[in-house]
Amino acid sequence: MSKPVTNNRLIEALVSPVAVASWTEADWGLAFRQARSANLVASLGDYAETGLGRGVMLPAAQAHLRAARNLIVQRNAAVAWEAGQILKALAKRQIRPIFLKGTAYVLAGIPLARHRHFSDIDVMVPKEDMAEAEKQLMLAGWLPSNTDAYDQRYYRQWMHEVPPLRHVRRGTVIDLHHAITPLTARYQANTPLLFEGRRSLLPSISGADVLCPEDMVLHAAVHLFSEGEAENGLRNLLDVSELMDHFIAGPMGTEFEGKLASRAFLLGLSRPLYLAVRYLRRVLMQDRRIRLEALMESAAPRALKLLALDRIYHRVFMGQHPTQTLPGNRPALAALYIRGHWLRMPTKLLLPHLWRKAINPRR
Amino acid sequence: MAWSIPLIAEASHFRRLSQATLAELASSGLVLDTPPFRFRIRSSSQPLADALFAAYAGYKVLDDRAFVDFDLSVLPVKSWRRFVAPLITLDFDGLLPFDPLPAAQAFPLLEWGMNWCVTSNAHQYLMCHSAVLAMGERALLLPAPPGSGKSTLCAALMLSGWRLLSDELALIEPETGLLTPFVRPISLKNASIELVARRFSLAEMTCPVVDTIKGTVSHLKPTAESLAGARQRAVPKLLVFPKFVADSPLKSTELSQSEAAVELARNAFNLPAIGVLGFEALTKAVEGCVCYSVQYGNLDDVIAWLDAQVDQDVEARHE
């Protein structure tokens, strides 16, 4: 059964929000189902509302949007409170964490937080404070999640990370990091510079820090291109886009692009930024990224590799709903999965790990 | 009533399910209108088709122009097993939320799948595990965990003149505390299948399916009156926690609204997920209710008692 690209309502709304004004009922239904599969219901809603201007959204679509927003509103309120609890626990040993990703967007009041779902709270502390931080969090009720000996070794010894910590009563989960890229990974961010660049959220939230704007974008980019699963691919790409637009609209203006590019090279994260901008231009048709793409051109991989990456990521970003998938989706997902692991683990660990996962895919 | 509750908007292009064909169900699927949701259902399973056409007779089928909320396919699992013990699986917009089941269980799987779609996504409502029935616009909530005899009572009430809003899922609107109907076949299990069939000769049920995870399962077609009220919201007036104890005389204990609210909250699916909004919904729903816990051993007793209670008003009681 052929699936014409024109059926991809979700991408259509993200590329050109005004297009939604001419959508039929069936189009709206399809768009929201595609969005659900991409964890982008609230995002679709926001883009569609922009496109409609003063027009009214179909009530059936509004219902789905309301549902997604209800979850996000509660999530964001809960996260702000949890962040306070985490700060209290770590302050006992004078550890000042940096909040990352979704949590940071909420705490810093970035508009992206209005339509982004996330579940875990990502927190970064210096490597030398990791053991103490884990201890203080455990004392406050966050225990390592129920993982077996293999998974514990995977996290601690190989990836040099701590397994997710889950609160015994509330069930909230903390991902505790000492860097934004695993120690064994091929993309290595310059961690001391990340800590140096940290921004305080004072006076609003005492003791809470986030990454500086350039680093937030770069983190989103490296996270996007280190992922081995396609499920959140488009969402992660949108994060990069919306963060950049937010900072460009701020006091830094278009100077932000130059600063971002320099910072990317300085931190060693130029390749993920290049790729992000490339796909924002090619998949989401964002012509406004032309200047930044030119600045990042030297970070492009060589032609053959780029061809392979294009094949994978074009399919990933077009969406995984059955009405969106392009021919060759399965091999692309398999390649993505292997790439995700290859980027994170040295080869000698990779093969046994993949073998084990192949035998028992549920782990 | 002094004020009227607006109806949920109706689709303009439809046919009745009886006019649709098996071939359509197997190929492009049928868009079933089950207010407030529309499901596209696709399946090549004969047992599913038989049960669907029986249990949903009278429902509307919409055309390709409709807004489809959830797209479900119940299809055979392609494996060597299909010659020995064929399995079917449920695909929900590309997801496979359940383990495959024996092919004979296709219709129960569809029904559970439809419930799952709603409870996982419909966070525009506070959703509670409860039967909901009404006399006109006055609603009765019967929250209870599975296995408490609630389905039998619900079926009996529907067949005794109450209109069904739902046998399992109370959809409470946070802004108003009103109950939105979600009229679907009532799921009956094990002994209650025969009990209902014996007592109500006009009850129309699907062929029982044996050996499911819940035992033997059959689905009871909603009454014409229930279907007619599928778009009519109701006001919660009576909140009753039922408990079936064989041969027990009727024992009713009035509960304070706060006690009842706490108990209802225990039966909520998504209260923590929607936080404050959920509490608002809960409070608005309970504040107009007279609340009881009731123990009964005889269906006639409890039905008569509920018939009498539904006209009580909480304001009148406190004068």
Side-chain angles (χ1 to χ4, degrees):
Chain A
M1 194 161 78
S2 71
K3 295 172 187 114
V5 173
T6 48
N7 242 1
N8 203 325
R9 294 281 163 254
L10 175 61
I11 296 285
E12 184 180 39
L14 298 176
V15 168
S16 172
V18 292
V20 313
S22 52
W23 277 359
T24 62
E25 274 191 42
D27 290 335
W28 281 100
L30 184 59
F32 271 87
R33 286 184 288 117
Q34 290 170 346
R36 190 192 309 127
S37 133
N39 292 318
L40 286 174
V41 172
S43 299
L44 170 65
D46 281 355
Y47 279 77
E49 278 179 344
T50 307
L52 283 171
R54 279 194 270 140
V56 177
M57 190 184 293
L58 196 67
Q62 281 182 34
H64 288 275
L65 180 53
R66 210 159 43 242
R69 284 178 173 161
N70 286 345
L71 291 178
I72 288 171
V73 164
Q74 166 56 16
R75 175 79 226 156
N76 291 357
V79 145
W81 186 83
E82 290 285 337
Q85 299 302 104
I86 294 169
L87 286 172
K88 254 202 316 196
L90 295 179
K92 295 200 169 114
R93 290 284 179 270
Q94 287 83 47
I95 300 174
R96 270 176 56 232
I98 296 181
F99 289 96
L100 303 171
K101 291 162 65 201
T103 311
Y105 308 152
V106 173
L107 296 176
I110 295 178
L112 171 55
R114 269 184 31 108
H115 52 229
R116 196 181 187 283
H117 292 283
F118 65 98
S119 44
D120 299 353
I121 298 177
D122 286 277
V123 159
M124 185 167 75
V125 300
K127 186 147 195 248
E128 56 271 19
D129 290 336
M130 274 287 269
E132 194 56 48
E134 189 185 352
K135 182 167 150 205
Q136 290 307 320
L137 290 173
M138 280 176 65
L139 288 173
W142 281 282
L143 302 180
S145 47
N146 214 2
T147 49
D148 66 13
Y150 178 85
D151 289 345
Q152 291 271 347
R153 226 171 45 241
Y154 170 84
Y155 277 107
R156 295 180 190 276
Q157 241 171 272
W158 300 351
M159 311 305 291
H160 305 276
E161 286 177 10
V162 166
L165 302 171
R166 167 177 242 103
H167 196 271
V168 283
R169 270 179 292 111
R170 298 192 296 270
T172 49
V173 177
I174 299 176
D175 283 333
L176 185 62
H177 308 276
H178 56 85
I180 62 174
T181 47
L183 269 186
T184 52
R186 279 169 174 79
Y187 291 136
Q188 278 300 315
N190 185 323
T191 307
L193 285 179
L194 290 171
F195 278 97
E196 232 175 85
R198 65 198 295 165
R199 294 290 163 87
S200 165
L201 289 177
L202 281 170
S204 52
I205 302 160
S206 174
D209 290 349
V210 295
L211 295 173
C212 67
E214 297 87 337
D215 294 354
M216 258 197 211
V217 175
L218 294 171
H219 185 199
V222 73
H223 174 70
L224 163 59
F225 288 104
S226 306
E227 256 298 335
E229 309 266 336
E231 200 187 314
N232 285 318
L234 181 56
R235 188 204 68 180
N236 293 342
L237 184 66
L238 267 184
D239 282 353
V240 177
S241 166
E242 290 176 20
L243 283 171
M244 289 200 291
D245 287 340
H246 170 71
F247 294 125
I248 290 169
M252 279 184 277
T254 44
E255 266 183 46
F256 179 73
E257 289 178 329
K259 292 202 169 127
L260 179 61
S262 317
R263 187 75 173 167
F265 285 106
L266 186 64
L267 285 184
L269 294 177
S270 52
R271 171 66 57 83
L273 181 62
Y274 168 78
L275 290 174
V277 177
R278 178 186 179 81
Y279 296 118
L280 284 174
R281 276 208 60 206
R282 278 161 183 67
V283 178
L284 293 186
M285 310 304 179
Q286 291 182 357
D287 290 333
R288 59 190 186 276
R289 310 294 176 205
I290 287 181
R291 189 169 153 260
L292 188 54
E293 197 181 5
L295 288 172
M296 298 307 302
E297 197 64 51
S298 60
R302 42 179 225 287
L304 213 60
K305 185 165 185 194
L306 197 54
L307 208 67
L309 288 173
D310 281 354
R311 266 199 78 85
I312 295 173
Y313 283 105
H314 191 71
R315 279 154 185 75
V316 167
F317 295 136
M318 283 304 249
Q320 294 303 309
H321 188 268
T323 54
Q324 294 174 304
T325 51
L326 297 171
N329 191 57
R330 281 259 185 85
L333 293 185
L336 183 72
Y337 185 80
I338 292 172
R339 178 172 187 270
H341 281 78
W342 174 79
L343 282 174
R344 275 188 244 205
M345 308 174 81
T347 326
K348 73 175 192 298
L349 292 177
L350 178 67
L351 287 176
H353 181 76
L354 283 178
W355 177 248
R356 190 192 155 98
K357 287 246 179 181
I359 295 177
N360 198 346
R362 262 182 234 205
R363 286 181 178 279
Chain B
M1 289 195 68
W3 49 283
S4 72
I5 306 163
L7 294 177
I8 300 165
E10 211 164 321
S12 46
H13 314 281
F14 67 88
R15 315 167 267 168
R16 295 288 166 189
L17 181 59
S18 49
Q19 297 166 287
T21 66
L22 283 169
E24 281 177 271
L25 179 64
S27 56
S28 54
L30 296 175
V31 179
L32 201 60
D33 187 27
T34 55
F37 308 106
R38 289 138 297 251
F39 291 86
R40 177 180 287 117
I41 297 168
R42 214 180 317 235
S43 183
S44 50
S45 157
Q46 187 67 50
L48 186 150
D50 291 341
L52 185 78
F53 281 91
Y56 286 93
Y59 278 72
K60 291 179 186 156
V61 164
L62 307 175
D63 66 19
D64 277 338
R65 286 170 284 185
F67 180 105
V68 172
D69 296 276
F70 307 110
D71 197 315
L72 293 174
S73 299
V74 178
L75 298 168
V77 172
K78 290 185 181 61
S79 82
W80 61 270
R81 288 191 56 166
R82 71 184 182 278
F83 302 110
V84 181
L87 294 175
I88 35 103
T89 188
L90 180 90
D91 177 310
F92 162 39
D93 276 306
L95 279 180
L96 302 174
F98 305 127
D99 285 333
L101 288 177
Q105 297 182 24
F107 185 70
L109 178 58
L110 174 67
E111 287 290 305
W112 294 331
M114 291 169 79
N115 291 342
W116 192 86
C117 288
V118 174
T119 53
S120 310
N121 290 286
H123 301 291
Q124 66 268 40
Y125 303 105
L126 172 66
M127 296 182 276
C128 297
H129 198 95
S130 172
V132 188
L133 300 115
M135 280 291 188
E137 283 173 351
R138 303 176 70 87
L140 159 69
L141 280 156
L142 293 165
S148 54
K150 157 172 111 307
S151 306
T152 314
L153 176 55
C154 176
L157 285 166
M158 181 183 78
L159 294 164
S160 306
W162 291 70
R163 72 169 169 112
L164 175 75
L165 280 81
S166 176
D167 67 329
E168 286 217 346
L169 201 49
L171 300 176
I172 306 174
E173 247 174 56
E175 299 78 23
T176 58
L178 293 177
L179 292 158
T180 298
F182 180 31
V183 181
R184 301 243 317 285
I186 298 178
S187 153
L188 295 172
K189 295 177 271 284
N190 304 316
S192 78
I193 299 172
E194 223 211 290
L195 205 155
V196 172
R198 255 191 295 117
R199 190 198 156 98
F200 299 98
S201 53
L202 294 176
E204 291 174 66
M205 293 194 262
T206 61
C207 261
V209 176
V210 300
D211 291 333
T212 74
I213 203 166
K214 299 186 184 184
T216 303
V217 159
S218 172
H219 287 85
L220 171 66
K221 190 176 124 180
T223 54
E225 194 203 345
S226 302
L227 210 51
R231 294 189 148 78
Q232 184 68 48
R233 296 183 193 97
V235 185
K237 285 292 184 187
L238 194 52
L239 179 50
V240 175
F241 298 89
K243 187 167 179 203
F244 174 75
V245 175
D247 301 320
S248 161
L250 189 85
K251 267 190 279 202
S252 68
T253 317
E254 191 168 355
L255 302 170
S256 69
Q257 285 184 334
S258 36
E259 274 179 284
V262 168
E263 247 340 281
L264 182 59
R266 263 199 256 278
N267 285 284
F269 285 104
N270 64 341
L271 188 51
I274 61 173
V276 170
L277 202 65
F279 279 108
E280 281 173 15
L282 195 72
T283 327
K284 288 207 181 88
V286 176
E287 72 190 358
C289 287
V290 182
C291 313
Y292 290 95
S293 82
V294 161
Q295 186 173 296
Y296 66 99
N298 181 308
L299 273 179
D300 289 312
D301 291 345
V302 69
I303 293 175
W305 184 84
L306 287 168
D307 283 347
Q309 291 304 315
V310 73
D311 285 320
Q312 305 260 356
D313 261 310
V314 70
E315 298 84 17
R317 295 177 69 79
H318 295 138
E319 263 154 25

